[in-house]
Amino acid sequence: MTKAGPGSTGSTPGVVLVTGPSGAGRTTAINALEDLGYEVIDNLPLSLLPRLLEGPAPSRPLALGVDVRNRDFSTNALIDIIDRLAARGDLSAQVLYMDAAEEELVRRYSETRRRHPLAPGGPPFEGIAEERELLTPIRARADVLIDTTGFSPHDAKAEVERWFGTGDGRTLGVTLHSFSYKRGLPRGMDIVMDCRFLRNPHWDESLRKLDGRDPAVAAYVFDDARFPKFFEQVKGLADLLLPAHKDEGKAHLSIGFGCTGGKHRSVAMTEHLAQALAQDGWHVSKRHRELERRATQSGKEDIS
């Protein structure tokens, strides 16, 4: 699959048609595209979409959200719209399909106790199976397919940003991630660093319940004799790579820092590097996967 070009660049305006099964992240994708500067139209009846697209090409990138809840939805009608978009020479059109494994969709519906739009009076798995079958031909036409199985809403948003960010060389977004190796590598990392060689605050009883954002934990990690050289090397690598990626037109770079539990060393390192890069003028965001996971377990944060 070819990397999707951003809708706001290139010789033709961009239109992104966003679809996929309910609960897989379509709404999250729509919101992410809106944050990226796309004009968003969600759940417009399919019968009205051709009228929208028959006029002049839009002056700004456009994201169209479509799902089975559209009152006149049909697979053939949506394929016809995709064909019309593809035939236009004055538009750069792409289909973004948000997907997830069936068991993941069932889990999300079970946790949130939402009713599936195709099975309002029955168990969610019936509606999920019917919807996936209905959308199979659309999935085959996707230009970009994002599988959100195991994703948090933050992960899904970041993945959309990776595909549809500005990419014009004027800006480069940097996301720094902390994580636990016990839970595996986060998806979509460009660079990963292992912090497990640094001394572990977990073994200090006074620090165990705190995390790497706490000054006492950070001081403990930074006091490791190996830390200054490690940070110097990582910062030097960032100073080399970030301008190079920006010059190449890359819109986003993800750097991960892992430790055993994803609570102390990797968090402290992520916070410290984020502060240094922000001071240098880079647009930096931070993700602490394990801390976010713990914070949202009781709330059951949902991807929709």
Side-chain angles (χ1 to χ4, degrees):
M1 185 178 296
T2 304
K3 172 75 167 67
S8 57
T9 62
S11 58
T12 58
V15 174
V16 179
L17 195 153
V18 187
T19 190
S22 304
R26 191 190 62 85
T27 300
T28 299
I30 283 288
N31 292 336
L33 290 169
E34 186 170 28
D35 290 343
L36 289 171
Y38 284 73
E39 180 181 1
V40 168
I41 302 176
D42 196 14
N43 277 327
L44 186 71
L46 290 186
S47 59
L48 298 181
L49 277 179
R51 302 182 197 177
L52 175 69
L53 299 171
E54 283 170 0
S59 58
R60 57 183 287 201
L62 179 65
L64 304 174
V66 178
D67 70 8
V68 297
R69 287 171 292 184
N70 285 69
R71 66 168 182 255
D72 56 355
F73 179 88
S74 78
T75 302
N76 290 336
L78 185 51
I79 289 177
D80 181 63
I81 289 171
I82 293 172
D83 289 338
R84 291 191 187 193
L85 285 171
R88 287 192 58 164
D90 60 341
L91 286 176
S92 174
Q94 296 159 340
V95 177
L96 168 59
Y97 192 96
M98 304 296 290
D99 202 5
E102 187 167 336
E103 58 271 19
E104 176 80 358
L105 296 175
V106 172
R107 181 189 65 78
R108 290 174 185 172
Y109 271 95
S110 297
E111 287 182 350
T112 59
R113 298 183 181 180
R114 293 166 54 197
R115 295 181 178 181
H116 193 280
L118 295 186
F125 69 85
E126 292 181 356
I128 290 168
E130 180 181 350
E131 184 178 33
R132 289 176 71 86
E133 181 177 358
L134 190 66
L135 291 174
T136 294
I138 310 301
R139 189 181 191 275
R141 299 291 300 271
D143 298 291
V144 177
L145 192 152
I146 297 178
D147 187 339
T148 66
T149 303
F151 275 19
S152 71
H154 302 287
D155 296 326
K157 182 176 185 292
E159 191 66 11
V160 172
E161 289 172 348
R162 283 171 59 83
W163 282 97
F164 296 95
T166 56
D168 55 8
R170 293 176 298 178
T171 60
L172 173 71
V174 183
T175 302
L176 304 182
H177 298 248
S178 68
F179 66 93
S180 165
Y181 275 99
K182 293 188 291 186
R183 292 188 176 273
L185 296 178
R187 296 189 183 189
M189 291 296 95
D190 297 299
I191 302 169
V192 174
M193 300 286 183
D194 191 339
C195 298
R196 288 176 292 186
F197 69 92
L198 297 169
R199 65 177 187 159
N200 192 351
H202 175 80
W203 303 116
D204 187 315
E205 188 66 32
S206 66
L207 301 177
R208 183 172 298 174
K209 293 184 179 180
L210 305 176
D211 63 62
R213 297 170 296 185
D214 189 281
V217 174
Y220 184 95
V221 174
F222 301 164
D223 198 43
D224 188 315
R226 296 163 294 190
F227 180 83
K229 188 65 174 179
F230 175 57
F231 182 79
E232 178 186 347
Q233 295 286 340
V234 172
K235 178 61 164 56
L237 181 64
D239 290 342
L240 171 67
L241 294 181
L242 297 188
H245 282 294
K246 179 182 177 182
D247 290 344
E248 286 298 311
K250 189 175 180 66
H252 187 266
L253 190 75
S254 293
I255 304 175
F257 295 96
C259 63
T260 305
K263 181 179 179 181
H264 296 115
R265 293 165 290 182
S266 61
V267 173
M269 181 63 185
T270 296
E271 291 284 330
H272 196 49
L273 182 60
Q275 182 179 20
L277 293 179
Q279 288 175 348
D280 289 345
W282 294 104
H283 178 68
V284 184
S285 60
K286 299 172 292 185
R287 291 289 320 286
H288 299 303
R289 188 181 71 180
E290 315 315 335
L291 301 186
E292 291 173 4
R293 188 187 301 273
R294 295 186 183 100
T296 58
Q297 274 179 342
S298 58
K300 300 299 183 185
E301 190 176 7
D302 179 43
I303 293 180
S304 61

